[in-house]
Amino acid sequence: MTVPNDVLTDTEVVDRVRHGDRDAFRVLVHRYQDSLYRTAVSMVQDRDVAADVVQATFVKAFSDIRKLDEGSNFGGWAYRSCVNRCRDFLKSQRRHDLALEDAPPASLQSRDRPDTALDRAELRRSLDSALSTLSDEYREAFVLKHVEEKSYEAMAQVLNASVPALKMRVHRAREALKTALEEVL
């Protein structure tokens, strides 16, 4: 009896891909594409660039899947790759030229009254603007912790930093955002 791909662990799916089951890679794409996209959008502040980053991340992951250490965490590996691609993009762009999102993400959109939706959209633009003023390391730590809801241990794997250092980055990012938002709101 064949086990459906959607009930397999990442390690089992990676193993299938390594043994020639190219279709199994779709399971990994399905599992991670939305969260990688949210991370990329939050970091680069451009939906089109974020989509390109995620696509490039998966292309690279597929071509390098044999390099992934046996038993390694595919999700952490993919996040690390995505974050590194976002960093590369940000290095190539001047910070003040980064575009802000036109619409809030689905999680912030309101089905309530139109004025509530406008308030939330304005708040999202203010938050995006404040996020763009953070250093790359503070922004990526804040996004992984508060947007992607990663544990500090998972963040340490992705960002190759110690847990205490990440806690400090998140704390400093919160303080900087608080100050920036107090000026705007």
Side-chain angles (χ1 to χ4, degrees):
M1 183 170 122
T2 307
V3 178
N5 286 336
D6 59 340
V7 296
L8 297 173
T9 66
D10 286 356
T11 303
E12 292 167 327
V13 175
V14 166
D15 207 37
R16 284 186 176 199
V17 174
R18 284 181 172 159
H19 287 94
D21 184 355
R22 300 181 94 176
D23 290 333
F25 193 75
R26 290 183 188 159
V27 174
L28 297 171
V29 171
H30 179 74
R31 286 181 187 170
Y32 292 101
Q33 69 184 354
D34 291 343
S35 59
L36 289 176
Y37 178 74
R38 283 191 307 271
T39 297
V41 166
S42 295
M43 289 183 67
V44 301
Q45 303 289 304
D46 184 303
R47 292 173 186 232
D48 293 332
V49 171
D52 291 344
V53 164
V54 172
Q55 182 178 8
T57 298
F58 282 120
V59 167
K60 183 73 170 158
F62 183 77
S63 67
D64 288 354
I65 203 153
R66 294 196 192 304
K67 294 179 184 176
L68 181 63
D69 293 333
E70 193 72 32
S72 289
N73 177 342
F74 177 84
W77 187 55
Y79 274 99
R80 201 167 31 257
S81 178
C82 182
V83 165
N84 287 338
R85 289 183 188 290
C86 290
R87 285 178 182 166
D88 291 345
F89 170 78
L90 292 172
K91 285 178 189 173
S92 70
Q93 302 295 309
R94 291 177 43 198
R95 293 181 70 98
H96 65 280
D97 286 344
L98 293 177
L100 297 176
E101 289 181 43
D102 295 330
S107 63
L108 292 181
Q109 290 177 350
S110 174
R111 303 210 192 291
D112 301 331
R113 299 183 344 238
D115 60 329
T116 303
L118 287 174
D119 288 346
R120 288 187 179 180
E122 185 177 325
L123 178 61
R124 178 60 190 201
R125 281 190 293 278
S126 297
L127 181 58
D128 285 344
S129 179
L131 271 172
S132 71
T133 66
L134 295 178
S135 69
D136 292 345
E137 70 178 14
Y138 288 174
R139 182 174 46 249
E140 61 197 21
F142 181 86
V143 165
L144 287 175
K145 184 63 182 165
H146 294 293
V147 175
E148 291 304 317
E149 300 178 344
K150 298 288 181 196
S151 69
Y152 282 108
E153 290 75 18
M155 291 170 57
Q157 275 189 325
V158 171
L159 300 175
N160 197 25
S162 69
V163 169
L166 291 171
K167 287 181 178 181
M168 184 56 72
R169 287 181 196 174
V170 170
H171 172 74
R172 289 182 178 161
R174 276 192 218 122
E175 292 299 314
L177 288 173
K178 179 181 172 187
T179 301
L181 290 173
E182 284 173 349
E183 293 173 7
V184 175
L185 302 175

